[in-house]
Amino acid sequence: MRRLFRIFIKLTGFIPAYTLLFLKLYRQPGWKRPRKGRSAIVICNHRSVIDVMLIMALFPFRSVRFLTGELMYTKSRLFSWFLGAIGCIKVDRGLSSDASYLGEVTRAARDGELICIFPEAHFNRTDELLEFREGAAFLAQKLRLPVIPIYTDAVYRPFRRTRAVLGAPILLSGDGSVSPESLAKDTQILRAAVQKMKNYLTVRKDEEDLARRESLISRIFYRFSQAGVALYLFFAYRPKISYTDPSVQKRKLREPVIVICNHVHPFDPPMLCSVFYTSRLHMLAAGELFEHDAFTSWALRRFNCVRLIRSGAVDTKAFRECITLLRSGEPIGLFPEGHISLDGNIAPFMSGFLLFALQTGAPVLPVCMSHKYKFWRKRLKIVIDTPRRITPPSGAVNPEWLSSESEKLCQRLKELHSQLTSGD
């Protein structure tokens, strides 16, 4: 009965997994599915309970047995029955000497079933891999089975694509005997393999995102949208644009440049893109804006916005994306204050954007806006300064130097702001 139920789950879950998760698979050199009747151990990073459905979809014609912690069986009787029905093997992680699950794992391997283990042992809510437990290495040594590593970005959200990397089988050395030293060594080998797959997926996603931005459809959509938004903004707020240097009176960004501006209103990003209407300006946007709803997230991505997660830690993905854009010749725009100024004054700058200039050699272009937007009542004044090259110090770059340089740029924007508002 349980076997029939497992077949039913496979048949009814295979199509939804590929259609709802929008699966996209990357196969590393040497990847191959285990032959029917040949058992193997499958390991994968663990982000959600939906990982189980993902693994089942990757091996639609094979029986997969999941090693599951005892806490999952305490959720409810119905859920406990469901875990048993789909073939999960209960592992009591609280008792180190309890190896009663080994008998069932051995029988599953003898029957040619796949055995799936999540080495992180619990849900990982971070972007970095946790330390692996030694269970996968132990079973691989004990049963002399190959290990198939898998990494997924686990983007289980509507209208978002889930990607997974399928790695080549790993044959751990050993003669069936298990020692603490070999377990620790092989566990590190498995974690390094999954980490390598994670790095590979990161590079591929950056390349695909850049290719999407450079596609003809994206360019046409951006230009038409930019023209419509600029038409409204220029009619409603009649911006008056001036320059501090008469020799630099141009609004075409002919080289990769970092445009910085004070932040007084939500209309600042589209206004900045409209000012430099001959270029495609990639704006940094707060990560929480992408979580507002599906349409807002879609629109921000179509407008070439770079998602910046402001959780306190350095957002490495946004950093890599900005570096890639600058090196490919595209300009980026950002607001160093990090938030909208409610009183119109310029707050102290964050210094992270200076790393973009140091990494790529791109100049920094200060732009200042005079005040909040008032429909047809008062012209919005905008001044464009001269691009500034950031020269690194002779020694190593340190936080004090970054703070000093960002303070200089902040003072420059304050000077421009006082000049704009002096006649008001």
Side-chain angles (χ1 to χ4, degrees), residues 164-181:
V165 183
L166 310 178
I170 301 174
L171 297 175
L172 299 178
S173 59
D175 55 359
S177 59
V178 180
S179 65
E181 294 78 12

Side-chain angles (χ1 to χ4, degrees), residues 9 113 121-122 127 174-175 187 202 231 238 246 257 269 282 293 295 301 322 332-333 345 348 382 400 414 422:
I9 291 294
E113 298 178 309
H122 54 81
D127 291 331
D175 55 359
T187 299
T202 299
L231 184 64
R238 302 171 296 154
V257 64
H282 303 259
D293 56 66
F295 176 78
R301 294 180 186 280
C322 291
I332 64 171
N345 296 322
I382 301 174
E400 292 76 15
K414 288 181 179 180
S422 59

Side-chain angles (χ1 to χ4, degrees), residues 139-154:
L139 291 179
Q141 291 185 12
K142 196 74 175 176
L143 303 177
R144 309 289 298 277
L145 294 176
V147 181
I148 301 176
I150 296 174
Y151 179 82
T152 175
D153 58 1

Side-chain angles (χ1 to χ4, degrees), residues 283-357:
M283 299 298 303
L284 265 71
E288 50 266 27
L289 295 178
F290 288 80
E291 305 296 336
H292 189 268
D293 56 66
F295 176 78
T296 302
S297 177
W298 177 86
L300 290 173
R301 294 180 186 280
R302 297 289 82 77
F303 281 107
N304 295 333
C305 291
V306 178
R307 181 184 181 186
L308 177 64
I309 300 176
R310 304 181 298 181
S311 59
V314 177
D315 187 352
T316 55
K317 183 179 184 302
F319 182 84
R320 287 194 311 271
E321 193 169 351
C322 291
I323 295 297
T324 303
L325 288 170
L326 290 170
R327 287 177 175 171
S328 62
E330 297 288 337
I332 64 171
L334 53 89
F335 303 101
E337 296 170 277
H339 56 82
I340 295 177
S341 176
L342 299 179
D343 57 5
N345 296 322
I346 298 177
F349 283 5
M350 299 180 182
S351 57
F353 71 96
L354 291 175
L355 297 176
F356 303 152

